[in-house]
Amino acid sequence: EPDWQWSMEGAPGTQLMGLIDRTEGGGRYDTLFGHSQRDGGRFAGVDVTNMTLGELRGFTDVNGEYGQWVRGQVGRVATPMGRFQIVGTTLRNAASELGLSDDTVFNAQTQEQIFRHLANRRLSSARTMDGKIAAMRAEWEGFNHVPDAQLAAAITEYEAVGQLPPVPAPQDPSL
């Protein structure tokens, strides 16, 4: 099993990534709701990092198995996937806005690209820090559990750098 985590301590954008990892996908690009992709989980063996955007369109269908299973857990349909827990509708819209084709693999690089797109769009929609905090919380529910001052510091760092740390190349698990 590939190790999706790496040390970014001291790298630009680290605060925002740390908050995302703590409140959303747990630092793993293959995360599904409730970590249900793990052994023994409802979707054990499903690895979204090896699926194309076209395949994910079917996987995240609101009437599909995953969406309905999450509905049974939380009382509403949701299809969060990956490190940033991007839901199907958001994924489809972002992919369209970015010009990503259905054969694009939802790997770490694609997820980072979509995250930056969503974060930049949310942050550019507000002029005040309170507005930026509200915008980021509208996109990522997990940020509702982060104190304002901590989220503000992470936003300030992210905006100062203008990007996240580079994604390292995946390690070949056969090595």
Side-chain angles (χ1 to χ4, degrees):
E1 176 181 346
D3 180 7
W4 296 114
Q5 294 188 328
W6 62 89
S7 174
M8 294 189 308
E9 190 171 328
T14 303
Q15 289 182 55
L16 194 58
M17 293 300 287
L19 295 178
I20 283 278
D21 290 346
R22 192 176 84 217
T23 63
E24 295 288 344
R28 295 183 57 97
Y29 290 94
D30 64 346
T31 301
L32 294 176
F33 179 83
H35 301 279
S36 59
Q37 81 285 353
R38 292 182 177 161
D39 287 344
R42 178 66 185 83
F43 294 92
V46 173
D47 185 350
V48 295
T49 66
N50 291 322
M51 296 172 77
T52 65
L53 299 182
E55 290 169 331
L56 290 174
R57 186 182 314 271
F59 182 69
T60 62
D61 184 285
V62 296
N63 295 312
E65 186 179 358
Y66 181 53
Q68 291 301 307
W69 178 78
V70 175
R71 180 178 181 215
Q73 305 297 306
V74 299
R76 61 183 167 81
V77 173
T79 55
M81 301 170 294
R83 184 174 188 178
F84 308 103
Q85 294 292 274
I86 298 167
V87 297
T89 303
T90 301
L91 177 62
R92 285 188 288 282
N93 292 340
S96 176
E97 291 162 8
L98 290 166
L100 301 175
S101 67
D102 277 354
D103 63 351
T104 302
V105 177
F106 193 59
N107 58 21
Q109 289 77 13
T110 301
Q111 290 183 43
E112 298 277 351
Q113 180 182 13
I114 292 169
F115 171 77
R116 283 190 296 273
H117 174 72
L118 296 173
N120 292 343
R121 185 176 64 196
R122 288 292 185 169
L123 293 171
S124 68
S125 73
R127 293 186 180 185
T128 67
M129 184 53 73
D130 285 346
K132 291 176 186 205
I133 289 170
M136 292 297 274
R137 286 178 172 154
E139 191 71 52
W140 287 282
E141 192 174 303
F143 285 152
N144 289 316
H145 306 289
V146 175
D148 289 357
Q150 192 175 12
L151 186 52
I155 290 169
T156 299
E157 178 197 49
Y158 176 81
E159 289 185 316
V161 174
Q163 63 182 10
L164 295 173
V167 178
Q171 296 295 317
D172 185 340
S174 65
L175 296 178

